[in-house]
Amino acid sequence: MKKLSFQLTLIIALSVSVALLAGCGKDDTYAQEEGKVNVVTSFYPLYFFAKEIGGEHAHVVNLIAAGVEPHEWTPKSRDLDAASKAQLFLYNGAGLEGWVDGFLKGLGSGSQVLTVEASQGIELIQGNPEHGHNHEGEQTDATGTEAEHSHEGEETDHDHEGAAEDVHDHEGEDAEHSHSDLDVDPHTWTSPRSALVMAANIRDAFVKVDPENGAAYESNYSNLEKQLRELDDKFTQELAGYKRRDIVVSHQAFGYLCRDYQLNQIAIMGLSPEAEPRAQDLLEIAKFVKDNSIPYIFFEELVSEQLADTLAREAKVDTLVLNPLEGLTPEQEKAGDNYFTLMERNLKNLQKALQ
């Protein structure tokens, strides 16, 4: 009986140990890979570009999981720890990551990570209708003006002591501070032309941290550049022939795309998708839709489509998806979708809406 009891106890103990080890392996998303450039990215487009350029020489992890809206995400201590141990940390900048200043300060002076603001060099669009709610004329300026572009995040003399506490303290600030507080449109990646600049910045970062494999990074970048230029040409040619140039969107995320392909976005919500529009704004946009025979109102998949649906019912039109590519849904990830497949779908839906 004692022998049976001992065997049972041993079996249970081994089962628990195996379960714990399996659990550790499953949760260890940020494990480093020896012999590769370890890269941490802040959101999906940077992850995709880094994977394409880094190729077999890079191990890339993305902080934001599939299905999570980047505007609502804030980092935890484990995210800071992963970035501090990497060779590259890529973030968009232009105000997208409201948490990034505190995050970079927490990396510590001992960290060797190169921090790169991927939007550096892009002519940024100024203006945020959330501050003025000005729909007079019912059109949102898609061109904008050149904004000052700061690179505060490139400092390296940070204090790592108390880094976990710093990130948790900063989370409270970020709950009240999103990129909607800024007067710059951060959605640079929605245009293939801006994406070209971002990809070049990522290539330069790889070459800087791993010059031995510079030729491979240059070659991988050339392939990505070719695809982005082809996508740019396709958008230019296939959107040029439409007389209609207005699109109504749920979230003002397409300023760079509209600027580059001569479209005009009328946004229900401003730069931040969680911002609530006024009832007057909704009435004005509904009137604009009716008066101009706009056939579709665009919504995006990672945030609620309730407002777009409400407005579409009021204006008696249909809805379509226009993806800001801030992240993949779990279904898109499983299906193998990527930046290019989603942009191709965007192009088809834009053509449908402009007819």
Side-chain angles (χ1 to χ4, degrees):
M1 193 70 182
K2 283 183 182 179
K3 186 177 179 183
L4 184 62
S5 176
F6 173 76
Q7 288 175 335
L8 188 59
T9 303
L10 186 61
I11 290 168
I12 292 170
L14 285 170
S15 299
V16 170
S17 298
V18 169
L20 286 171
L21 286 169
C24 289
K26 188 183 259 186
D27 292 338
D28 198 11
T29 312
Y30 295 159
Q32 304 278 299
E33 280 201 21
E34 203 70 38
K36 292 190 176 184
V37 176
N38 288 279
V39 185
V40 173
T41 60
S42 66
F43 78 130
Y44 173 73
L46 300 182
Y47 171 79
F48 177 73
F49 297 151
K51 288 273 285 182
E52 292 295 296
I53 295 168
E56 64 180 2
H57 299 292
H59 172 60
V60 187
V61 296
N62 194 37
L63 291 179
I64 302 177
V68 177
E69 215 288 322
H71 301 251
E72 299 170 357
W73 185 87
T74 52
K76 304 294 185 290
S77 299
R78 67 190 297 269
D79 303 311
L80 179 67
D81 184 59
S84 68
K85 292 174 182 174
Q87 285 76 56
L88 268 180
F89 172 61
L90 306 175
Y91 66 101
N92 187 73
L96 177 72
E97 302 92 347
W99 44 267
V100 79
D101 287 344
F103 191 84
L104 294 175
K105 286 175 186 173
L107 290 175
S109 56
S111 174
Q112 300 299 307
V113 63
L114 174 66
T115 63
V116 176
E117 186 178 15
S119 64
Q120 182 180 354
I122 296 170
E123 182 181 340
L124 299 177
I125 295 173
Q126 277 190 316
N128 187 348
E130 292 165 42
H131 294 167
H133 295 286
N134 181 16
H135 291 285
E136 188 176 350
E138 282 76 59
Q139 294 196 5
T140 302
D141 182 12
T143 57
T145 56
E146 185 169 1
E148 291 296 323
H149 196 140
S150 65
H151 308 294
E152 297 172 52
E154 294 176 7
E155 296 176 13
T156 54
D157 58 337
H158 306 306
D159 182 12
H160 192 64
E161 190 176 344
E165 288 77 10
D166 181 54
V167 172
H168 285 303
D169 289 345
H170 196 67
E171 282 174 28
E173 294 172 28
D174 293 330
E176 298 175 3
H177 172 73
S178 73
H179 71 225
S180 64
D181 296 326
L182 303 176
D183 283 313
V184 174
D185 184 345
H187 304 91
T188 52
W189 62 92
T190 58
S191 167
R193 290 184 199 172
S194 293
L196 278 162
V197 177
M198 298 169 74
N201 288 337
I202 293 169
R203 172 206 58 195
D204 293 345
F206 270 112
V207 172
K208 186 171 182 179
V209 298
D210 184 23
E212 286 185 14
N213 292 304
Y217 301 134
E218 292 284 359
S219 175
N220 292 341
Y221 166 76
S222 292
N223 292 333
L224 179 62
E225 180 191 28
K226 181 173 180 283
Q227 288 180 278
L228 286 170
R229 291 199 184 281
E230 287 173 353
L231 187 64
D232 173 35
D233 289 343
K234 197 168 184 180
F235 267 78
T236 301
Q237 292 165 17
E238 297 192 14
L239 294 178
Y242 296 98
K243 184 177 179 182
R244 189 191 304 279
R245 309 309 291 172
D246 297 319
I247 59 171
V248 177
V249 299
S250 61
H251 170 203
Q252 190 198 349
F254 303 96
Y256 295 91
L257 184 144
C258 288
R259 178 176 72 182
D260 290 341
Y261 306 105
Q262 292 75 57
L263 301 175
N264 180 57
Q265 69 173 334
I266 297 93
I268 301 170
M269 295 172 284
L271 296 177
S272 175
E274 67 270 13
E276 291 291 333
R278 301 179 306 170
Q280 180 186 341
D281 298 327
L282 293 174
L283 289 172
E284 288 176 351
I285 295 172
K287 184 177 185 302
F288 179 83
V289 169
K290 291 174 184 175
D291 290 349
N292 292 275
S293 303
I294 301 291
Y296 295 98
I297 292 173
F298 286 113
F299 70 94
E300 58 188 83
E301 294 149 307
L302 292 181
V303 296
S304 171
E305 61 194 82
Q306 184 177 353
L307 272 174
D309 281 343
T310 300
L311 190 59
R313 282 195 300 272
E314 169 66 25
K316 296 181 173 54
V317 297
D318 293 324
T319 58
L320 272 178
V321 171
L322 192 61
N323 197 320
L325 292 104
E326 292 176 343
L328 300 180
T329 65
E331 294 75 22
Q332 288 165 344
E333 189 174 60
K334 188 176 179 181
D337 277 318
N338 60 40
Y339 180 88
F340 290 106
T341 63
L342 296 179
M343 285 295 286
E344 290 279 359
R345 267 178 237 163
N346 278 351
L347 177 57
K348 285 183 177 138
N349 284 349
L350 283 168
Q351 289 176 291
K352 192 173 181 180
L354 293 173
Q355 287 175 355

